[in-house]
């Protein structure tokens, strides 16, 4: 387990207090947008291990979290159906910080201001480890997908475009 004092984001504190094994990976932050694939290259990992956290809004449930592979796209119809909505759309970027407490590029599914219904792509369960944002740009957390599912009480489902 990685212990650090300078990297204690809310997400890191939650994972650390759960007692599950994890690792932190840092990368240099640039002013340009860094995709999840760019992050994979920066930390020396394969892009298929990187999962991005997306926030959506639904017509019945105001906020929904989707955790999907870096190179995937969320299927709005699938996530609407699985979450009990008729329609879902991406949360406007300007609302991300106020809603989650995280900024773009540093949004973790762990430790948001409130616990929102979370859906993780079922392909994640085939991996030994996945990597998600640790709650700030430049910091990723490596953990078992099953541990992530447990920590955020996620529902596992097919939520990406085919």
């Amino acid at each position: 387990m990685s212990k650090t004092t300078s990297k204690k984001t809310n997400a890191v504190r939650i994972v650390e207090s759960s007692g599950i094994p994890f690792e932190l990976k840092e990368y240099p932050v640039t002013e340009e947008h860094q995709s999840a694939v760019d992050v994979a290259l920066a930390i020396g990992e394969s892009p298929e291990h990187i999962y991005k956290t997306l926030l959506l809004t639904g017509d019945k449930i105001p906020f929904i979290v989707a955790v999907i592979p870096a190179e995937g796209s969320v299927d709005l119809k699938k996530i609407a159906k699985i979450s009990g909505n008729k329609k879902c759309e991406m949360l406007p970027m300007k609302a991300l910080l106020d809603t989650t407490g995280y900024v773009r590029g540093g949004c973790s599914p762990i430790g948001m201001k409130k616990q929102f219904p979370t859906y993780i792509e079922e392909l994640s369960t085939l991996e030994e480890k996945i990597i998600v944002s640790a709650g700030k740009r430049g910091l990723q957390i490596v953990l078992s997908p099953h541990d992530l599912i447990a920590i955020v009480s996620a529902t596992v489902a097919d939520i990406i475009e085919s």
Side-chain angles (χ1 to χ4, degrees):
M1 186 172 344
S2 177
K3 298 227 187 250
T4 179
T5 53
S6 64
K7 301 171 194 142
K8 292 278 186 151
T9 64
N10 200 30
V12 172
R13 280 190 284 279
I14 290 168
V15 173
E16 197 170 61
S17 70
S18 74
I20 64 165
F22 71 95
E23 181 184 351
L24 294 176
K25 297 229 177 192
E26 287 186 273
Y27 63 94
V29 177
T30 66
E31 291 304 311
E32 301 145 17
H33 169 66
Q34 291 179 292
S35 71
V37 176
D38 295 330
V39 170
L41 295 172
I43 63 173
E45 289 284 345
S46 177
E48 54 265 6
H49 292 135
I50 305 285
Y51 277 67
K52 57 189 173 185
T53 304
L54 305 174
L55 264 288
L56 300 101
T57 60
D59 61 323
K60 295 183 180 168
I61 299 172
F63 302 109
I64 302 154
V65 179
V67 181
I68 65 169
E71 298 179 297
S73 296
V74 69
D75 186 314
L76 296 176
K77 289 182 181 180
K78 286 180 183 177
I79 198 144
K81 184 175 183 180
I82 196 82
S83 66
N85 288 280
K86 289 183 181 174
K87 179 182 168 190
C88 284
E89 59 188 35
M90 294 299 296
L91 181 76
M93 198 58 60
K94 63 183 178 192
L96 186 64
L97 180 60
D98 286 343
T99 305
T100 66
Y102 293 130
V103 298
R104 179 182 189 194
C107 187
S108 179
I110 306 163
M112 292 184 184
K113 283 182 174 181
K114 293 183 180 178
Q115 178 74 39
F116 301 119
T118 302
Y119 299 87
I120 188 167
E121 170 54 38
E122 64 188 6
L123 292 173
S124 69
T125 61
L126 302 175
E127 301 292 338
E128 211 173 288
K129 65 177 181 179
I130 63 171
I131 304 166
V132 297
S133 174
K136 71 178 187 177
R137 293 182 74 212
L139 190 62
Q140 297 286 301
I141 191 164
V142 183
L143 70 168
S144 151
H146 301 287
D147 288 336
L148 176 61
I149 291 162
I151 288 173
V152 299
S153 302
T155 299
V156 177
D158 172 18
I159 57 171
I160 58 172
E161 292 178 352
S162 302

